[in-house]
Amino acid sequence: MDKNKLKQLLNKAVHNKLSPEEKGQLEQWYASFDEKEKDIIVFKNVAHEKLVQTRLLNRIRKQLPYKNDTLEANNTSVVPLWSRFSNRYLTVAAAFLLLMFSASLFFYLKSSSQPEHTIVRTSVGEISRIALSDGSQVWLNANSELKYPEHFTSNTRELYLEGEAFFDVSRDTTKPFVVHAANLKTKVLGTAFNIRSHKNSSLMRVSVTRGKVAVSEGPQQVMLVASEEATYNKQTKSLIKSRFDAQMTDWWLEKGSYQFRDEALADVAIVLGNKFGKHITISNPALAAKRITASFKNSEPLQDVTETLKIIIGLQSKQVRAEELEWY
């Protein structure tokens, strides 16, 4: 029955103005309500349901031009919702109000509920492969974290990354794939790309090996295709697009190598620290800002990497403690 029509009938019932035909319509709705709507579950428990019912009945009573003995009953002895009261149509009115309340609460709870999320964290030197429910795959690099829903039930496939990961996304034009990394958002339909977004790094980088990607930070946005990348500078708030060799993007994944392209030594120290489980500090600000372009094999120990950097930029190093190394 139409909602407005039902309101009209209930109003007539309260004022005893129902025609025989309208009484039949209201009886039919009530019978249908008893059989179908009583199974809606939106209350915490039976006591909660009775409390809501009592308040709704009191609300109706206050609007009546006369008092009803049934409704004057003590609230502690509430008659079950689906029982018949002596005044049948007042009960119908209460049931209607309760139904409207239940339906509203049901849809509110349904819309506000959040899907279950899984969080995967990798330790130093560890790479984890993650298979998502949509068929996409993620390779999570060392000392990184990925948060994602067990099932993508909304209109978008939303994930949250801290650290570095390579994504191979299954195409779905109806559900864009969105990766949030700090304040950077990467949106795709189906593609392969790498994101590096370490908390303590001054740079964030999105590199595309296949397909098309939109990268945004606030009002700034760049569109990337294969062999293009976006670099976001946290200090200057700039988002810059450039070209690169796409075969170098996932070297840490497939070829077991780390590639650095014109990156500050401070950012190189973060990546290497995650791999080797060391906290690398740089006491000299000028040294920390030096730009590095180099590649290192996964099998190379940190000592050999440090020796190479000594040759390239002339840094020195010392062991501060077991888990801390200083470059100066």
Side-chain angles (χ1 to χ4, degrees):
M1 184 184 298
D2 178 76
K3 182 179 177 181
N4 291 328
K5 175 67 174 177
L6 184 56
K7 283 185 177 180
Q8 292 175 6
L9 294 179
L10 289 172
N11 185 57
K12 285 186 176 183
V14 170
H15 294 90
N16 198 26
K17 294 182 178 180
L18 283 174
S19 68
E21 181 182 357
E22 289 171 334
K23 285 183 180 179
Q25 291 175 353
L26 201 54
E27 288 281 356
Q28 186 178 4
W29 175 85
Y30 192 89
S32 172
F33 176 81
D34 270 354
E35 293 302 318
K36 297 178 181 178
E37 307 300 336
K38 65 181 180 181
D39 292 327
I40 293 178
I41 301 173
V42 293
F43 302 100
K44 296 177 182 177
N45 48 46
V46 174
H48 184 211
E49 179 182 349
K50 288 183 177 180
L51 176 62
V52 173
Q53 178 195 343
T54 301
R55 289 176 178 174
L56 291 174
L57 290 173
N58 288 337
R59 174 179 163 186
I60 295 171
R61 180 184 58 192
K62 290 178 182 178
Q63 296 178 7
L64 293 177
Y66 59 90
K67 291 187 178 181
N68 182 281
D69 292 336
T70 303
L71 298 179
E72 292 282 335
N74 191 311
N75 287 348
T76 59
S77 57
V78 178
V79 179
L81 177 61
W82 313 112
S83 300
R84 304 296 196 267
F85 288 89
S86 60
N87 190 322
R88 181 172 184 75
Y89 295 114
L90 285 177
T91 308
V92 173
F96 173 74
L97 286 175
L98 189 57
L99 172 62
M100 294 301 104
F101 171 83
S102 301
S104 299
L105 182 57
F106 173 79
F107 287 112
Y108 168 77
L109 293 174
K110 184 177 180 181
S111 62
S112 63
S113 62
Q114 297 296 323
E116 291 291 329
H117 280 82
T118 298
I119 299 178
V120 176
R121 298 183 180 91
T122 52
S123 58
V124 294
E126 177 189 7
I127 296 176
S128 178
R129 177 180 172 275
I130 304 165
L132 302 178
S133 61
D134 66 339
S136 301
Q137 296 188 73
V138 183
W139 286 264
L140 193 61
N141 207 347
N143 202 26
S144 300
E145 176 181 302
L146 183 70
K147 178 182 177 182
Y148 59 95
E150 293 182 6
H151 300 283
F152 296 108
T153 56
S154 64
N155 294 329
T156 57
R157 295 172 283 173
E158 309 262 346
L159 303 89
Y160 299 84
L161 171 70
E162 182 180 307
E164 184 172 12
F166 182 83
F167 298 84
D168 192 346
V169 181
S170 295
R171 185 172 181 81
D172 186 346
T173 57
T174 65
K175 285 189 176 184
F177 191 95
V178 182
V179 181
H180 301 270
N183 53 340
L184 206 64
K185 183 169 74 172
T186 303
K187 183 178 180 180
V188 306
L189 295 177
T191 183
F193 60 99
N194 192 86
I195 297 179
R196 181 184 293 173
S197 173
H198 294 291
K199 184 185 297 184
N200 298 323
S201 176
S202 62
L203 297 178
M204 299 168 63
R205 180 167 286 165
V206 180
S207 309
V208 181
T209 61
R210 186 185 73 246
K212 190 175 183 179
V213 170
V215 180
S216 60
E217 191 283 324
Q220 300 183 85
Q221 178 172 298
V222 296
M223 299 299 298
L224 306 175
V225 295
S227 298
E228 290 184 339
E229 65 183 7
T231 302
Y232 177 70
N233 190 308
K234 296 179 183 178
Q235 296 175 344
T236 63
K237 309 295 183 184
S238 61
L239 184 63
I240 299 173
K241 180 169 74 172
S242 60
R243 292 193 62 81
F244 75 105
D245 183 355
Q247 294 182 347
M248 298 172 63
T249 300
D250 57 349
W251 273 35
W252 63 267
L253 174 62
E254 293 187 356
K255 298 180 175 61
S257 299
Y258 281 83
Q259 298 286 328
F260 300 103
R261 301 183 300 278
D262 191 32
E263 297 187 40
L265 184 63
D267 294 325
V268 173
I270 292 172
V271 174
L272 294 177
N274 289 333
K275 171 173 172 46
F276 294 105
K278 299 284 188 180
H279 179 58
I280 303 174
T281 61
I282 305 175
S283 55
N284 185 340
L287 179 63
K290 280 186 175 292
R291 315 301 295 185
I292 298 294
T293 297
S295 64
F296 303 99
K297 293 181 179 180
N298 250 338
S299 57
E300 286 187 69
L302 181 57
Q303 183 178 353
D304 290 354
V305 173
T306 303
E307 290 298 322
T308 301
L309 291 174
K310 285 181 180 180
I311 296 172
I312 296 174
I313 57 176
L315 67 76
Q316 299 297 316
S317 68
K318 66 178 179 181
Q319 193 79 33
V320 178
R321 54 181 64 89
E323 302 300 324
E324 184 175 347
L325 186 68
E326 180 182 356
W327 289 350
Y328 60 95

